[in-house]
């Protein structure tokens, strides 16, 4: 398995085209993996021989911060791209604008693989680190698809809030909470776009379910599984899946772990099936915990915050002085006094005190992972932070 | 800032009240958020704002704003000015 880097591919996309066509398997790495280089070299040595051709691998760390190599089969990724083309109604789409790293499974499959097998144009940008670059691409877009993560909506509003981009006809969200409360912003920016909530995980390579934005008002409603994908929950409410498009194996700190056809793979999320047949997320396993005997769901609390706060927000976990698990709300940018009172009022009106955050803090901007998601681990250790309110417990 | 203003800010902050809801005769049973954890929070807040830490017995005898004023006044903290 040979190594391609995001930087190499960004400079010359034909490298990726060539890698996809030739038999030898490859791994596409993000730009910043220096400290992981030795781990990656060791990890790749563990791959079974049968994966050394017609496969590809991507590096992910997810919200746990632990590196994992996810190994996919090219044929599966192509099959998924075909299914997505149909379900995402992509036939009218002529091009896709890349604002996420290609080494992110979502962008890799939903954009690069899709564009490759459907013969559509992929337009790379330097992402929101270079907003002018993104603006030029959006302004000149023609029947284009955009793939975003929800955490990018405040950036869109900040950089382009006074504009609209009629050339975008499909907007996809994945990789985190669907920005249901900000759909007015998304619709104003992309007035001709059909908007989709995509759900999946790196092990699914990456898609499991899909729904149109209009099909539900609930940001946690992830819709129904793609054809061929089976989903169920275990006794703890954890969402498991089997997918004909999913990864064939992963390498983590335990070594190589094959994902066999009959393996139920844990998504890391808690979920319930609704009476309407769709699935509803209750949060990441790590985002749901007990506090003074009450079940705290951080995604539910974030929905409360976002009813009153239209900018960026994230919770991180911390124990209170009694040693009980708690959570801290971090906002960006700093709220005004009126905004802070509105947020506190939402907590008072909707939740008992155990659900309130230990503190409400702010920073100018939230740290983002290369894939655009909020870096929760970094958020907890940011300094300095301004404390706006705290519970005296 | 007078002690009364400090107490008003504390009660508003601990129970997430609208400033207009604050009254000197406000009672625990009128405030939905004045629960057991709220009482702990109020006691901690009294300590940090006024330098007096209510004993557990004193804390559980607080059933309204007036009780806080009575308690702190008995410890020499002036609410007249």
């Amino acid at each position: 398995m040979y190594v391609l880097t995001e930087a190499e591919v960004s400079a010359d996309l034909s490298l990726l085209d060539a890698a996809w066509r030739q038999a030898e398997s490859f791994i596409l790495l993000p730009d910043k993996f220096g400290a992981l280089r030795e781990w990656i070299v060791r990890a790749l040595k563990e791959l079974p021989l049968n994966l050394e051709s017609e496969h590809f691998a991507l590096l992910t760390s997810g919200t746990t911060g632990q590196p994992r190599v996810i190994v996919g089969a090219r044929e599966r990724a192509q099959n998924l791209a075909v299914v997505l083309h149909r379900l995402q109604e992509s036939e009218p789409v002529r091009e896709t604008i890349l604002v996420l790293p290609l080494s992110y499974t979502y962008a890799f499959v939903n954009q690069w693989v899709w564009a490759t097998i459907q013969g559509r144009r992929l337009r790379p940008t330097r992402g929101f680190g270079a907003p002018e670059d993104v603006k030029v691409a959006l302004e000149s877009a023609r029947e284009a698809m955009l793939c975003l993560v929800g955490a990018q909506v405040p950036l869109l509003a900040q950089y382009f809030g006074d504009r609209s981009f009629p050339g975008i006809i499909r907007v996809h969200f994945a990789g985190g909470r669907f920005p249901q409360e900000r759909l007015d912003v998304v619709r104003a920016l992309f007035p001709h776009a059909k908007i989709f909530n995509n759900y999946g995980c790196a092990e699914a390579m990456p898609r499991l379910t899909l729904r149109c934005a209009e099909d539900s008002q609930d940001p946690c409603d992830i819709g129904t599984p793609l054809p061929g994908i089976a989903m169920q929950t275990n006794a703890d409410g954890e969402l498991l899946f089997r997918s004909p498009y999913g990864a064939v194996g992963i390498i983590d700190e335990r070594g190589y772990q094959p994902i066999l056809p009959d393996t139920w793979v844990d998504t890391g999320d808690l979920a319930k099936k609704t009476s309407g047949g769709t699935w509803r997320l209750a949060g990441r396993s790590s985002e749901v915990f007990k506090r003074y005997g009450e079940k705290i769901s951080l995604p539910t609390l974030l929905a409360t915050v976002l009813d009153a706060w239209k900018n960026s927000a994230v919770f991180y976990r911390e124990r209170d002085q009694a040693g009980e698990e708690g959570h801290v709300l971090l906002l960006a940018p700093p709220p005004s006094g009126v905004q802070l009172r509105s947020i506190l009022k939402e907590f008072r009106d909707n939740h008992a005190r155990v659900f309130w955050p230990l503190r409400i803090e702010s920073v100018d901007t939230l740290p983002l992972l290369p894939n655009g998601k909020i870096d929760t681990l970094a958020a907890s250790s940011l300094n300095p932070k301004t404390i706006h309110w705290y519970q005296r417990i | 800032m007078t002690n009364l203003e400090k107490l008003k800010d504390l009660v508003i902050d601990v129970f997430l009240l609208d400033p207009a809801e604050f009254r000197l005769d406000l009672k625990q049973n009128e405030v939905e958020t004045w629960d057991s954890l709220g009482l702990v929070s109020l006691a901690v807040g009294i300590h940090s704002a006024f330098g007096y830490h209510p004993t557990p017995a004193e804390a559980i005898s607080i059933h309204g704003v007036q009780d806080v004023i009575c308690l702190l006044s008995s410890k020499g903290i002036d609410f007249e000015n």
Side-chain angles (χ1 to χ4, degrees), chain A residues 253-283:
Chain A
E253 72 280 3
R254 298 167 298 174
Y256 178 71
Q257 319 282 325
I259 299 176
L260 304 172
D262 61 348
T263 303
W264 285 100
V265 183
D266 188 353
T267 61
D269 287 315
L270 303 174
K272 271 189 179 174
K273 196 169 189 178
T274 69
S275 56
T278 63
W279 285 89
R280 186 179 190 283
L281 293 183

PDB file of all heavy atoms in Angstrom, chain A residues 253-283:
ATOM      1  N   GLU A 253      -5.460   0.840  17.798  1.00  0.00           N
ATOM      2  CA  GLU A 253      -4.399   0.490  18.751  1.00  0.00           C
ATOM      3  C   GLU A 253      -4.373  -1.013  19.055  1.00  0.00           C
ATOM      4  O   GLU A 253      -3.376  -1.523  19.561  1.00  0.00           O
ATOM      5  CB  GLU A 253      -4.549   1.308  20.048  1.00  0.00           C
ATOM      6  CG  GLU A 253      -5.704   0.928  20.958  1.00  0.00           C
ATOM      7  CD  GLU A 253      -7.039   1.483  20.522  1.00  0.00           C
ATOM      8  OE1 GLU A 253      -7.108   2.149  19.460  1.00  0.00           O
ATOM      9  OE2 GLU A 253      -8.038   1.238  21.233  1.00  0.00           O
ATOM     10  N   ARG A 254      -5.461  -1.721  18.692  1.00  0.00           N
ATOM     11  CA  ARG A 254      -5.504  -3.168  18.930  1.00  0.00           C
ATOM     12  C   ARG A 254      -4.948  -3.951  17.751  1.00  0.00           C
ATOM     13  O   ARG A 254      -4.856  -5.159  17.792  1.00  0.00           O
ATOM     14  CB  ARG A 254      -6.950  -3.612  19.179  1.00  0.00           C
ATOM     15  CG  ARG A 254      -7.607  -2.996  20.394  1.00  0.00           C
ATOM     16  CD  ARG A 254      -9.107  -3.231  20.376  1.00  0.00           C
ATOM     17  NE  ARG A 254      -9.723  -2.593  19.214  1.00  0.00           N
ATOM     18  CZ  ARG A 254     -11.002  -2.724  18.867  1.00  0.00           C
ATOM     19  NH1 ARG A 254     -11.795  -3.504  19.580  1.00  0.00           N
ATOM     20  NH2 ARG A 254     -11.482  -2.085  17.810  1.00  0.00           N
ATOM     21  N   GLY A 255      -4.618  -3.251  16.652  1.00  0.00           N
ATOM     22  CA  GLY A 255      -4.157  -3.919  15.446  1.00  0.00           C
ATOM     23  C   GLY A 255      -5.267  -3.982  14.401  1.00  0.00           C
ATOM     24  O   GLY A 255      -6.255  -3.243  14.496  1.00  0.00           O
ATOM     25  N   TYR A 256      -5.100  -4.882  13.429  1.00  0.00           N
ATOM     26  CA  TYR A 256      -6.092  -4.971  12.344  1.00  0.00           C
ATOM     27  C   TYR A 256      -7.340  -5.715  12.804  1.00  0.00           C
ATOM     28  O   TYR A 256      -7.255  -6.795  13.387  1.00  0.00           O
ATOM     29  CB  TYR A 256      -5.488  -5.698  11.133  1.00  0.00           C
ATOM     30  CG  TYR A 256      -6.493  -5.845  10.007  1.00  0.00           C
ATOM     31  CD1 TYR A 256      -6.899  -4.743   9.271  1.00  0.00           C
ATOM     32  CD2 TYR A 256      -7.059  -7.083   9.711  1.00  0.00           C
ATOM     33  CE1 TYR A 256      -7.837  -4.862   8.252  1.00  0.00           C
ATOM     34  CE2 TYR A 256      -7.997  -7.214   8.685  1.00  0.00           C
ATOM     35  CZ  TYR A 256      -8.384  -6.095   7.966  1.00  0.00           C
ATOM     36  OH  TYR A 256      -9.318  -6.214   6.980  1.00  0.00           O
ATOM     37  N   GLN A 257      -8.486  -5.128  12.543  1.00  0.00           N
ATOM     38  CA  GLN A 257      -9.767  -5.751  12.887  1.00  0.00           C
ATOM     39  C   GLN A 257     -10.596  -5.873  11.608  1.00  0.00           C
ATOM     40  O   GLN A 257     -11.021  -4.844  11.059  1.00  0.00           O
ATOM     41  CB  GLN A 257     -10.574  -4.860  13.865  1.00  0.00           C
ATOM     42  CG  GLN A 257      -9.764  -4.207  14.961  1.00  0.00           C
ATOM     43  CD  GLN A 257      -9.444  -5.187  16.060  1.00  0.00           C
ATOM     44  OE1 GLN A 257     -10.261  -6.048  16.370  1.00  0.00           O
ATOM     45  NE2 GLN A 257      -8.263  -5.075  16.619  1.00  0.00           N
ATOM     46  N   PRO A 258     -10.811  -7.091  11.112  1.00  0.00           N
ATOM     47  CA  PRO A 258     -11.643  -7.210   9.910  1.00  0.00           C
ATOM     48  C   PRO A 258     -13.110  -6.906  10.221  1.00  0.00           C
ATOM     49  O   PRO A 258     -13.571  -7.144  11.343  1.00  0.00           O
ATOM     50  CB  PRO A 258     -11.471  -8.683   9.512  1.00  0.00           C
ATOM     51  CG  PRO A 258     -11.134  -9.383  10.782  1.00  0.00           C
ATOM     52  CD  PRO A 258     -10.374  -8.398  11.630  1.00  0.00           C
ATOM     53  N   ILE A 259     -13.796  -6.375   9.250  1.00  0.00           N
ATOM     54  CA  ILE A 259     -15.254  -6.207   9.370  1.00  0.00           C
ATOM     55  C   ILE A 259     -15.876  -7.198   8.394  1.00  0.00           C
ATOM     56  O   ILE A 259     -15.837  -6.997   7.180  1.00  0.00           O
ATOM     57  CB  ILE A 259     -15.683  -4.765   9.055  1.00  0.00           C
ATOM     58  CG1 ILE A 259     -15.029  -3.794  10.044  1.00  0.00           C
ATOM     59  CG2 ILE A 259     -17.209  -4.640   9.108  1.00  0.00           C
ATOM     60  CD1 ILE A 259     -15.314  -2.323   9.749  1.00  0.00           C
ATOM     61  N   LEU A 260     -16.403  -8.270   8.925  1.00  0.00           N
ATOM     62  CA  LEU A 260     -16.943  -9.345   8.097  1.00  0.00           C
ATOM     63  C   LEU A 260     -18.388  -9.037   7.718  1.00  0.00           C
ATOM     64  O   LEU A 260     -19.043  -8.205   8.357  1.00  0.00           O
ATOM     65  CB  LEU A 260     -16.839 -10.675   8.855  1.00  0.00           C
ATOM     66  CG  LEU A 260     -15.404 -11.020   9.304  1.00  0.00           C
ATOM     67  CD1 LEU A 260     -15.398 -12.236  10.215  1.00  0.00           C
ATOM     68  CD2 LEU A 260     -14.511 -11.229   8.088  1.00  0.00           C
ATOM     69  N   PRO A 261     -18.909  -9.720   6.687  1.00  0.00           N
ATOM     70  CA  PRO A 261     -20.273  -9.416   6.239  1.00  0.00           C
ATOM     71  C   PRO A 261     -21.323  -9.547   7.340  1.00  0.00           C
ATOM     72  O   PRO A 261     -22.334  -8.844   7.322  1.00  0.00           O
ATOM     73  CB  PRO A 261     -20.513 -10.432   5.118  1.00  0.00           C
ATOM     74  CG  PRO A 261     -19.151 -10.735   4.601  1.00  0.00           C
ATOM     75  CD  PRO A 261     -18.237 -10.674   5.783  1.00  0.00           C
ATOM     76  N   ASP A 262     -21.100 -10.461   8.291  1.00  0.00           N
ATOM     77  CA  ASP A 262     -22.106 -10.633   9.341  1.00  0.00           C
ATOM     78  C   ASP A 262     -21.771  -9.831  10.609  1.00  0.00           C
ATOM     79  O   ASP A 262     -22.421  -9.983  11.638  1.00  0.00           O
ATOM     80  CB  ASP A 262     -22.269 -12.113   9.699  1.00  0.00           C
ATOM     81  CG  ASP A 262     -20.979 -12.721  10.227  1.00  0.00           C
ATOM     82  OD1 ASP A 262     -19.926 -12.059  10.100  1.00  0.00           O
ATOM     83  OD2 ASP A 262     -21.023 -13.847  10.760  1.00  0.00           O
ATOM     84  N   THR A 263     -20.775  -8.971  10.526  1.00  0.00           N
ATOM     85  CA  THR A 263     -20.393  -8.170  11.692  1.00  0.00           C
ATOM     86  C   THR A 263     -21.355  -6.998  11.851  1.00  0.00           C
ATOM     87  O   THR A 263     -21.604  -6.249  10.896  1.00  0.00           O
ATOM     88  CB  THR A 263     -18.964  -7.591  11.514  1.00  0.00           C
ATOM     89  OG1 THR A 263     -18.064  -8.659  11.291  1.00  0.00           O
ATOM     90  CG2 THR A 263     -18.539  -6.803  12.744  1.00  0.00           C
ATOM     91  N   TRP A 264     -21.907  -6.853  13.059  1.00  0.00           N
ATOM     92  CA  TRP A 264     -22.671  -5.639  13.362  1.00  0.00           C
ATOM     93  C   TRP A 264     -21.673  -4.600  13.864  1.00  0.00           C
ATOM     94  O   TRP A 264     -21.000  -4.814  14.867  1.00  0.00           O
ATOM     95  CB  TRP A 264     -23.741  -5.908  14.424  1.00  0.00           C
ATOM     96  CG  TRP A 264     -24.921  -6.652  13.883  1.00  0.00           C
ATOM     97  CD1 TRP A 264     -25.167  -7.987  13.995  1.00  0.00           C
ATOM     98  CD2 TRP A 264     -25.998  -6.102  13.127  1.00  0.00           C
ATOM     99  NE1 TRP A 264     -26.335  -8.308  13.356  1.00  0.00           N
ATOM    100  CE2 TRP A 264     -26.873  -7.170  12.809  1.00  0.00           C
ATOM    101  CE3 TRP A 264     -26.320  -4.829  12.665  1.00  0.00           C
ATOM    102  CZ2 TRP A 264     -28.047  -6.992  12.074  1.00  0.00           C
ATOM    103  CZ3 TRP A 264     -27.490  -4.647  11.937  1.00  0.00           C
ATOM    104  CH2 TRP A 264     -28.333  -5.716  11.647  1.00  0.00           C
ATOM    105  N   VAL A 265     -21.585  -3.487  13.178  1.00  0.00           N
ATOM    106  CA  VAL A 265     -20.578  -2.469  13.504  1.00  0.00           C
ATOM    107  C   VAL A 265     -21.228  -1.374  14.339  1.00  0.00           C
ATOM    108  O   VAL A 265     -22.316  -0.877  14.013  1.00  0.00           O
ATOM    109  CB  VAL A 265     -19.988  -1.863  12.211  1.00  0.00           C
ATOM    110  CG1 VAL A 265     -18.894  -0.859  12.547  1.00  0.00           C
ATOM    111  CG2 VAL A 265     -19.454  -2.961  11.308  1.00  0.00           C
ATOM    112  N   ASP A 266     -20.557  -0.991  15.404  1.00  0.00           N
ATOM    113  CA  ASP A 266     -21.066   0.050  16.292  1.00  0.00           C
ATOM    114  C   ASP A 266     -20.790   1.425  15.686  1.00  0.00           C
ATOM    115  O   ASP A 266     -19.649   1.734  15.337  1.00  0.00           O
ATOM    116  CB  ASP A 266     -20.368  -0.075  17.653  1.00  0.00           C
ATOM    117  CG  ASP A 266     -20.955   0.842  18.709  1.00  0.00           C
ATOM    118  OD1 ASP A 266     -21.816   1.676  18.363  1.00  0.00           O
ATOM    119  OD2 ASP A 266     -20.551   0.718  19.875  1.00  0.00           O
ATOM    120  N   THR A 267     -21.834   2.246  15.561  1.00  0.00           N
ATOM    121  CA  THR A 267     -21.639   3.591  15.006  1.00  0.00           C
ATOM    122  C   THR A 267     -21.064   4.561  16.032  1.00  0.00           C
ATOM    123  O   THR A 267     -20.608   5.641  15.665  1.00  0.00           O
ATOM    124  CB  THR A 267     -22.983   4.179  14.543  1.00  0.00           C
ATOM    125  OG1 THR A 267     -23.856   4.266  15.685  1.00  0.00           O
ATOM    126  CG2 THR A 267     -23.635   3.321  13.470  1.00  0.00           C
ATOM    127  N   GLY A 268     -21.147   4.188  17.320  1.00  0.00           N
ATOM    128  CA  GLY A 268     -20.739   5.132  18.366  1.00  0.00           C
ATOM    129  C   GLY A 268     -21.861   6.063  18.762  1.00  0.00           C
ATOM    130  O   GLY A 268     -21.681   6.930  19.618  1.00  0.00           O
ATOM    131  N   ASP A 269     -23.040   5.887  18.149  1.00  0.00           N
ATOM    132  CA  ASP A 269     -24.185   6.743  18.462  1.00  0.00           C
ATOM    133  C   ASP A 269     -25.270   5.942  19.169  1.00  0.00           C
ATOM    134  O   ASP A 269     -25.388   4.727  18.978  1.00  0.00           O
ATOM    135  CB  ASP A 269     -24.779   7.331  17.177  1.00  0.00           C
ATOM    136  CG  ASP A 269     -23.902   8.404  16.589  1.00  0.00           C
ATOM    137  OD1 ASP A 269     -23.422   9.260  17.346  1.00  0.00           O
ATOM    138  OD2 ASP A 269     -23.676   8.376  15.369  1.00  0.00           O
ATOM    139  N   LEU A 270     -26.068   6.649  19.925  1.00  0.00           N
ATOM    140  CA  LEU A 270     -27.280   6.059  20.499  1.00  0.00           C
ATOM    141  C   LEU A 270     -28.457   6.491  19.630  1.00  0.00           C
ATOM    142  O   LEU A 270     -28.489   7.627  19.153  1.00  0.00           O
ATOM    143  CB  LEU A 270     -27.483   6.576  21.929  1.00  0.00           C
ATOM    144  CG  LEU A 270     -26.319   6.317  22.887  1.00  0.00           C
ATOM    145  CD1 LEU A 270     -26.569   7.010  24.216  1.00  0.00           C
ATOM    146  CD2 LEU A 270     -26.127   4.829  23.099  1.00  0.00           C
ATOM    147  N   ALA A 271     -29.399   5.594  19.421  1.00  0.00           N
ATOM    148  CA  ALA A 271     -30.508   5.938  18.530  1.00  0.00           C
ATOM    149  C   ALA A 271     -31.741   5.112  18.849  1.00  0.00           C
ATOM    150  O   ALA A 271     -31.667   4.120  19.581  1.00  0.00           O
ATOM    151  CB  ALA A 271     -30.097   5.709  17.075  1.00  0.00           C
ATOM    152  N   LYS A 272     -32.860   5.576  18.293  1.00  0.00           N
ATOM    153  CA  LYS A 272     -34.116   4.836  18.396  1.00  0.00           C
ATOM    154  C   LYS A 272     -34.816   4.899  17.052  1.00  0.00           C
ATOM    155  O   LYS A 272     -34.735   5.919  16.355  1.00  0.00           O
ATOM    156  CB  LYS A 272     -35.040   5.498  19.439  1.00  0.00           C
ATOM    157  CG  LYS A 272     -34.845   4.997  20.850  1.00  0.00           C
ATOM    158  CD  LYS A 272     -35.938   5.547  21.747  1.00  0.00           C
ATOM    159  CE  LYS A 272     -35.750   5.023  23.166  1.00  0.00           C
ATOM    160  NZ  LYS A 272     -36.694   5.646  24.102  1.00  0.00           N
ATOM    161  N   LYS A 273     -35.523   3.828  16.744  1.00  0.00           N
ATOM    162  CA  LYS A 273     -36.322   3.839  15.527  1.00  0.00           C
ATOM    163  C   LYS A 273     -37.651   4.508  15.826  1.00  0.00           C
ATOM    164  O   LYS A 273     -38.280   4.207  16.852  1.00  0.00           O
ATOM    165  CB  LYS A 273     -36.540   2.415  15.021  1.00  0.00           C
ATOM    166  CG  LYS A 273     -37.015   2.353  13.583  1.00  0.00           C
ATOM    167  CD  LYS A 273     -36.950   0.932  13.061  1.00  0.00           C
ATOM    168  CE  LYS A 273     -37.223   0.906  11.567  1.00  0.00           C
ATOM    169  NZ  LYS A 273     -37.130  -0.437  11.025  1.00  0.00           N
ATOM    170  N   THR A 274     -38.082   5.411  14.972  1.00  0.00           N
ATOM    171  CA  THR A 274     -39.337   6.113  15.219  1.00  0.00           C
ATOM    172  C   THR A 274     -40.509   5.296  14.690  1.00  0.00           C
ATOM    173  O   THR A 274     -40.329   4.363  13.906  1.00  0.00           O
ATOM    174  CB  THR A 274     -39.353   7.489  14.526  1.00  0.00           C
ATOM    175  OG1 THR A 274     -39.415   7.268  13.107  1.00  0.00           O
ATOM    176  CG2 THR A 274     -38.117   8.302  14.864  1.00  0.00           C
ATOM    177  N   SER A 275     -41.708   5.695  15.102  1.00  0.00           N
ATOM    178  CA  SER A 275     -42.895   4.986  14.621  1.00  0.00           C
ATOM    179  C   SER A 275     -43.049   5.152  13.111  1.00  0.00           C
ATOM    180  O   SER A 275     -43.685   4.334  12.453  1.00  0.00           O
ATOM    181  CB  SER A 275     -44.145   5.504  15.339  1.00  0.00           C
ATOM    182  OG  SER A 275     -44.237   6.902  15.162  1.00  0.00           O
ATOM    183  N   GLY A 276     -42.480   6.200  12.565  1.00  0.00           N
ATOM    184  CA  GLY A 276     -42.558   6.432  11.121  1.00  0.00           C
ATOM    185  C   GLY A 276     -41.516   5.667  10.324  1.00  0.00           C
ATOM    186  O   GLY A 276     -41.456   5.790   9.105  1.00  0.00           O
ATOM    187  N   GLY A 277     -40.653   4.902  11.026  1.00  0.00           N
ATOM    188  CA  GLY A 277     -39.677   4.078  10.325  1.00  0.00           C
ATOM    189  C   GLY A 277     -38.322   4.737  10.138  1.00  0.00           C
ATOM    190  O   GLY A 277     -37.396   4.110   9.637  1.00  0.00           O
ATOM    191  N   THR A 278     -38.219   6.008  10.506  1.00  0.00           N
ATOM    192  CA  THR A 278     -36.907   6.653  10.415  1.00  0.00           C
ATOM    193  C   THR A 278     -36.145   6.389  11.715  1.00  0.00           C
ATOM    194  O   THR A 278     -36.701   5.897  12.697  1.00  0.00           O
ATOM    195  CB  THR A 278     -37.047   8.172  10.203  1.00  0.00           C
ATOM    196  OG1 THR A 278     -37.708   8.746  11.337  1.00  0.00           O
ATOM    197  CG2 THR A 278     -37.832   8.478   8.943  1.00  0.00           C
ATOM    198  N   TRP A 279     -34.878   6.741  11.704  1.00  0.00           N
ATOM    199  CA  TRP A 279     -34.059   6.605  12.905  1.00  0.00           C
ATOM    200  C   TRP A 279     -33.816   7.984  13.496  1.00  0.00           C
ATOM    201  O   TRP A 279     -33.657   8.964  12.777  1.00  0.00           O
ATOM    202  CB  TRP A 279     -32.733   5.920  12.582  1.00  0.00           C
ATOM    203  CG  TRP A 279     -32.890   4.451  12.372  1.00  0.00           C
ATOM    204  CD1 TRP A 279     -33.168   3.817  11.196  1.00  0.00           C
ATOM    205  CD2 TRP A 279     -32.809   3.425  13.376  1.00  0.00           C
ATOM    206  NE1 TRP A 279     -33.263   2.469  11.395  1.00  0.00           N
ATOM    207  CE2 TRP A 279     -33.037   2.189  12.720  1.00  0.00           C
ATOM    208  CE3 TRP A 279     -32.551   3.421  14.742  1.00  0.00           C
ATOM    209  CZ2 TRP A 279     -33.027   0.978  13.395  1.00  0.00           C
ATOM    210  CZ3 TRP A 279     -32.536   2.214  15.422  1.00  0.00           C
ATOM    211  CH2 TRP A 279     -32.776   1.012  14.752  1.00  0.00           C
ATOM    212  N   ARG A 280     -33.783   8.001  14.841  1.00  0.00           N
ATOM    213  CA  ARG A 280     -33.564   9.265  15.535  1.00  0.00           C
ATOM    214  C   ARG A 280     -32.361   9.119  16.464  1.00  0.00           C
ATOM    215  O   ARG A 280     -32.339   8.239  17.319  1.00  0.00           O
ATOM    216  CB  ARG A 280     -34.803   9.646  16.357  1.00  0.00           C
ATOM    217  CG  ARG A 280     -34.684  10.999  16.977  1.00  0.00           C
ATOM    218  CD  ARG A 280     -35.919  11.381  17.781  1.00  0.00           C
ATOM    219  NE  ARG A 280     -35.819  12.785  18.149  1.00  0.00           N
ATOM    220  CZ  ARG A 280     -35.044  13.232  19.122  1.00  0.00           C
ATOM    221  NH1 ARG A 280     -34.328  12.384  19.838  1.00  0.00           N
ATOM    222  NH2 ARG A 280     -34.963  14.520  19.381  1.00  0.00           N
ATOM    223  N   LEU A 281     -31.377   9.986  16.279  1.00  0.00           N
ATOM    224  CA  LEU A 281     -30.179   9.927  17.112  1.00  0.00           C
ATOM    225  C   LEU A 281     -30.449  10.511  18.487  1.00  0.00           C
ATOM    226  O   LEU A 281     -31.104  11.553  18.613  1.00  0.00           O
ATOM    227  CB  LEU A 281     -29.035  10.720  16.476  1.00  0.00           C
ATOM    228  CG  LEU A 281     -28.449  10.194  15.170  1.00  0.00           C
ATOM    229  CD1 LEU A 281     -27.287  11.081  14.737  1.00  0.00           C
ATOM    230  CD2 LEU A 281     -27.986   8.760  15.318  1.00  0.00           C
ATOM    231  N   ALA A 282     -29.909   9.839  19.507  1.00  0.00           N
ATOM    232  CA  ALA A 282     -30.004  10.381  20.869  1.00  0.00           C
ATOM    233  C   ALA A 282     -28.667  10.961  21.307  1.00  0.00           C
ATOM    234  O   ALA A 282     -28.547  11.475  22.406  1.00  0.00           O
ATOM    235  CB  ALA A 282     -30.435   9.294  21.839  1.00  0.00           C
ATOM    236  N   GLY A 283     -27.656  10.867  20.436  1.00  0.00           N
ATOM    237  CA  GLY A 283     -26.350  11.427  20.769  1.00  0.00           C
ATOM    238  C   GLY A 283     -25.254  10.398  20.630  1.00  0.00           C
ATOM    239  O   GLY A 283     -25.508   9.211  20.432  1.00  0.00           O
TER     240      GLY A 283
END
